[in-house]
Amino acid sequence: MWNVLPPSRLAAAVVLALAAGGCGLGAPQRPPAPRDALPVTTVGPGGRPYAPSRGRVPLHDSFERLDLGTGRRWGWRSAAYPDCTTNRKNFKLDSLSRAALSTASGRLAVTASPLPGGRWRTGLLSTGDSCGSGGDGFEVRTGDVITTRVRLPSARYGAWPGIWTWRQGGNEVDVFEWHSDRPNTLEFANHVKDSACFCASPLVRRGAWLDIAVRLGARKVTWYLGRPPGPLRAVHSDRKGVGAHFHAHLVIGMSVDDGTLHFRPDRAAPFTFEVASITVRRPGVSGRAEAGEPAGRRR
């Protein structure tokens, strides 16, 4: 989620923050484009279809209930945030809370709501590195495929949902990020090897259900996209990969933009990001060759 910024991006962000100034509710002023923003690539439906890997499924959650807290699958805070619950330096109005998380509808709902003082109560799930809030420590690793079905928020501005990996200050690969002021564009990023794509698609829009998958290859990371019930097809491959020794926790969440790089919310009304399921598939390769790490680290 752009939690660790390279110096060039950080310097540009500071300039943008000074230029943009404060922005309250009401008609938002469009912030200038980030100086290091990637060009938007329009992707079509013609990529190769996603074929599930043979092997086992070490993680699957369809969110019939919220498996949250100490000794459970998920924690609700993250060490990716400086104080575990807020992250203003990375352009977020977030104040993480368990109360923002619900599975009452039979799927995970992360709802952002305004708080006094300009912050927004919102939510996050993490399998580990969660500031003691829970999580079973599960880690994805090289060769895994992460597949998820999500519904993007309907908000015009301010919504910033995403699913990514995180461990000990880095090891970040973004399954996707989305900002509601760029409603047709998903952001795919491999921060391990510094590659990214702003990928626009006619499938992507506010309120849409999407199927998204990412294959964490040692030499290339490949992203797949589809709209249920249609098939997933490859839309981007970075030709860099994550290396043989990659492993990291899973994070699901929705941030709220602060108006520096993207519009902040234009009205004080809650908005929701939904996740119907998330699955990790692990190819059936025995021994240590697949991940390049000691067997005791595998979960």
Side-chain angles (χ1 to χ4, degrees), residues 110 151-156 159-161 178 180 205-208 254 271-274:
V110 186
R151 187 179 188 181
L152 300 176
S154 298
R156 292 188 306 166
W160 181 2
W178 179 82
S180 54
R205 56 177 174 79
R206 299 183 185 99
M254 181 167 65
F271 48 85
T272 299
F273 169 50
E274 295 180 87

Side-chain angles (χ1 to χ4, degrees), residues 4-297:
V4 176
L5 299 178
S8 61
R9 185 177 177 86
L10 182 58
V14 171
V15 171
L16 290 171
L18 293 173
C23 180
L25 296 176
Q29 299 298 311
R30 180 171 296 277
R35 291 186 177 183
D36 60 346
L38 296 175
V40 175
T41 300
T42 301
V43 296
R48 66 184 184 281
Y50 162 69
S53 303
R54 293 183 178 182
R56 63 191 184 94
V57 177
L59 181 144
H60 172 76
D61 201 334
S62 52
F63 300 106
E64 285 87 4
R65 64 187 180 93
L66 191 56
D67 194 15
L68 181 69
T70 304
R72 313 300 295 181
R73 165 57 51 81
W74 303 100
W76 62 273
R77 295 182 295 205
S78 176
Y81 286 36
D83 67 354
C84 300
T85 59
T86 64
N87 198 359
R88 290 300 299 265
K89 74 174 186 178
N90 283 296
F91 320 121
K92 300 176 181 181
L93 298 177
D94 304 11
S95 180
L96 298 181
S97 170
R98 291 180 62 136
L101 305 166
S102 171
T103 56
S105 62
R107 50 187 177 258
L108 175 65
V110 186
T111 300
S113 305
L115 295 171
R119 290 186 178 177
W120 284 65
R121 184 183 73 183
T122 189
L124 174 150
L125 295 180
S126 179
T127 59
D129 211 3
S130 63
C131 302
S133 65
D136 62 5
F138 174 80
E139 295 181 334
V140 295
R141 58 184 175 90
T142 303
D144 284 356
V145 179
I146 306 167
T147 306
T148 187
R149 178 166 290 179
V150 303
R151 187 179 188 181
L152 300 176
S154 298
R156 292 188 306 166
Y157 304 116
W160 181 2
I163 298 176
W164 74 101
T165 68
W166 182 263
R167 182 179 59 84
Q168 297 179 350
N171 297 280
E172 181 182 355
V173 175
D174 297 333
V175 179
F176 83 96
E177 294 184 66
W178 179 82
H179 296 269
S180 54
D181 59 358
R182 293 178 180 170
N184 71 336
T185 302
L186 295 177
E187 299 176 18
F188 303 134
N190 172 7
H191 296 289
V192 178
K193 294 291 182 71
D194 195 24
S195 71
C197 175
F198 292 179
C199 290
S201 167
L203 300 180
V204 181
R205 56 177 174 79
R206 299 183 185 99
W209 280 102
L210 298 174
D211 287 332
I212 304 170
V214 61
R215 190 182 301 273
L216 302 170
R219 291 186 292 272
K220 67 178 180 179
V221 177
T222 302
W223 285 265
Y224 303 81
L225 176 64
R227 183 180 291 172
L232 287 121
R233 293 186 176 274
V235 292
H236 176 63
S237 183
D238 70 358
R239 299 184 182 181
K240 290 191 174 184
V242 294
H245 301 277
F246 174 81
H247 57 108
H249 305 293
L250 269 177
V251 184
I252 301 171
M254 181 167 65
S255 289
V256 180
D257 282 301
D258 73 352
T260 304
L261 301 181
H262 292 270
F263 291 163
R264 66 188 296 155
D266 62 328
R267 56 194 181 97
F271 48 85
T272 299
F273 169 50
E274 295 180 87
V275 184
S277 64
I278 188 166
T279 302
V280 176
R281 298 183 183 274
R282 184 158 293 168
V285 178
S286 61
R288 303 180 183 181
E290 182 184 357
E293 60 180 336
R297 246 183 217 171

